[in-house]
Amino acid sequence: MTTKYQNPPVIYTVAKLIFAEAIGSYGHDKYKNLLNSLSSLGFDSWSVSKVMGVQLKQSDNQFTALPANVERVGYFSDDRRRCVVIDENSIELRLSAYNNHSEFLDNFKTLLNTCIDNGLAKGNKVREIELHYVDIFVPDSDNKLKDMFSSSVTLPMVQFYSDDSDLIKIGVTNFTRILQTGRSKVSVSLEQFGAVEPNRRKYLPDNLSEPDPKLTMPLDVERLFKHSEPSEYAIVHTACGSLIDMDKFDGEKLRSTLETQYVESRKTFDHMIRPEICEKLWEVSV
């Protein structure tokens, strides 16, 4: 049984289903009907995001980058800590208030079934499914950041020269495993920050940061910084991805794949931490 915490380090989670081809951009009526169906999952508002992006096109073995208007639809719970984002190629569920993995993955499965029942991506082949966890490691006044990690983890900033007077210090370590099947991977990114003023802190990795304020979510991070003003902290992003062979949508198979991804991400997490320190800081639930 996995250890549960009263003050867990996880601040953001994402489950994402990516399709092999564009699922299309639908009219507002279909998105409004979907909102009615999602109300049972606690989503009561929606917003359309339009941001400029880049579209790659291939012709005669050459790639051309063209500006493109990227449209996405976001559905929110009343506190905006749960969000569904749908674009032309994917459906994802984001949480900034996490309870447990079973509820999270079950809700994602229900979300996908609801989208299919409402005619979104019906008949589209699935290409990949992803699971992301973002954890914030913050020491207290009795410990240093390195004390929170096991001996197998070497923090990136100790490998290079720095001065105590530096305004900001950032170090990054990345690691990726390709699992035995050759169709799944687990990637871990550890970003270490030092000498950062509270208003300059970063909480999410770049590839999970939302570019449009219409789709941003509040993050519950101050609870992790309550002990003191730390001189350093770390963002740990664990990302799991699996290629899927699925001509017909199968919610049970996708849910099973996500469960396997969670098990692998938890192995990574448990191997990375120093329990006697982290359990005191995160307060084990009895």
Side-chain angles (χ1 to χ4, degrees):
M1 182 179 294
T2 58
T3 303
K4 294 185 178 181
Y5 306 103
Q6 297 181 47
N7 190 32
V10 57
I11 64 157
Y12 193 69
T13 56
V14 177
K16 183 174 183 179
L17 187 66
I18 303 169
F19 296 91
E21 61 274 332
I23 64 177
S25 181
Y26 301 101
H28 280 199
D29 287 345
K30 177 161 285 194
Y31 289 123
K32 287 181 180 178
N33 291 336
L34 179 60
L35 176 62
N36 292 333
S37 298
L38 291 176
S39 62
S40 62
L41 288 175
F43 297 96
D44 58 10
S45 66
W46 69 306
S47 180
V48 178
S49 167
K50 294 182 180 180
V51 296
M52 289 300 296
V54 176
Q55 183 179 41
L56 294 177
K57 289 191 175 182
Q58 183 180 13
S59 178
D60 298 327
N61 294 322
Q62 291 185 339
F63 285 97
T64 304
L66 300 173
N69 221 353
V70 179
E71 182 171 302
R72 296 172 298 155
V73 178
Y75 296 88
F76 288 92
S77 61
D78 57 358
D79 62 1
R80 294 185 67 89
R81 295 184 183 276
R82 302 171 71 243
C83 176
V84 174
V85 176
I86 301 172
D87 63 20
E88 287 196 352
N89 291 91
S90 65
I91 299 172
E92 63 182 291
L93 174 62
R94 304 172 177 178
L95 298 186
S96 64
Y98 181 76
N99 185 13
N100 63 73
H101 90 278
S102 293
E103 180 180 337
F104 176 45
L105 300 185
D106 287 344
N107 284 346
F108 186 54
K109 175 189 168 185
T110 302
L111 163 66
L112 295 176
N113 286 331
T114 302
C115 289
I116 298 298
D117 291 343
N118 279 267
L120 271 71
K122 193 170 185 178
N124 287 66
K125 292 182 179 180
V126 175
R127 187 185 77 195
E128 187 174 0
I129 193 165
E130 298 178 351
L131 183 63
H132 300 261
Y133 283 91
V134 178
D135 296 282
I136 301 287
F137 284 67
V138 185
D140 61 9
S141 56
D142 296 327
N143 298 280
K144 295 182 178 180
L145 182 63
K146 66 178 182 179
D147 298 329
M148 300 181 71
F149 292 94
S150 68
S151 59
S152 63
V153 176
T154 301
L155 296 182
M157 289 196 323
V158 303
Q159 303 175 45
F160 300 96
Y161 175 79
S162 65
D163 282 329
D164 291 339
S165 60
D166 292 339
L167 181 62
I168 297 176
K169 291 180 281 190
I170 304 171
V172 181
T173 296
N174 297 298
F175 175 73
T176 297
R177 300 168 54 212
I178 304 298
L179 305 190
Q180 189 175 18
T181 62
R183 301 185 64 81
S184 295
K185 68 177 181 180
V186 180
S187 297
V188 183
S189 173
L190 189 159
E191 292 184 77
Q192 180 186 359
F193 298 86
V196 181
E197 298 174 0
N199 60 350
R200 294 175 179 263
R201 288 185 197 141
K202 174 183 176 181
Y203 300 118
L204 293 177
D206 292 340
N207 58 345
L208 291 184
S209 295
E210 172 54 52
D212 190 345
K214 287 184 177 180
L215 299 184
T216 56
M217 304 167 67
L219 299 175
D220 184 16
V221 295
E222 292 307 316
R223 59 184 175 80
L224 296 168
F225 290 85
K226 65 181 181 180
H227 295 288
S228 62
E229 189 57 46
S231 60
E232 55 183 349
Y233 72 98
I235 300 173
V236 176
H237 174 204
T238 306
C240 302
S242 298
L243 298 175
I244 301 291
D245 288 324
M246 187 180 294
D247 292 331
K248 185 179 179 181
F249 180 83
D250 185 340
E252 288 294 336
K253 181 178 178 181
L254 293 174
R255 175 63 175 82
S256 177
T257 300
L258 286 167
E259 186 69 28
T260 300
Q261 290 181 342
Y262 169 76
V263 170
E264 292 299 330
S265 70
R266 187 71 198 207
K267 288 178 185 176
T268 297
F269 181 82
D270 289 341
H271 181 76
M272 178 174 55
I273 69 170
R274 189 175 167 193
E276 63 270 27
I277 300 296
C278 292
E279 289 180 1
K280 183 182 72 171
L281 292 172
W282 299 334
E283 304 168 23
V284 175
S285 296
V286 180

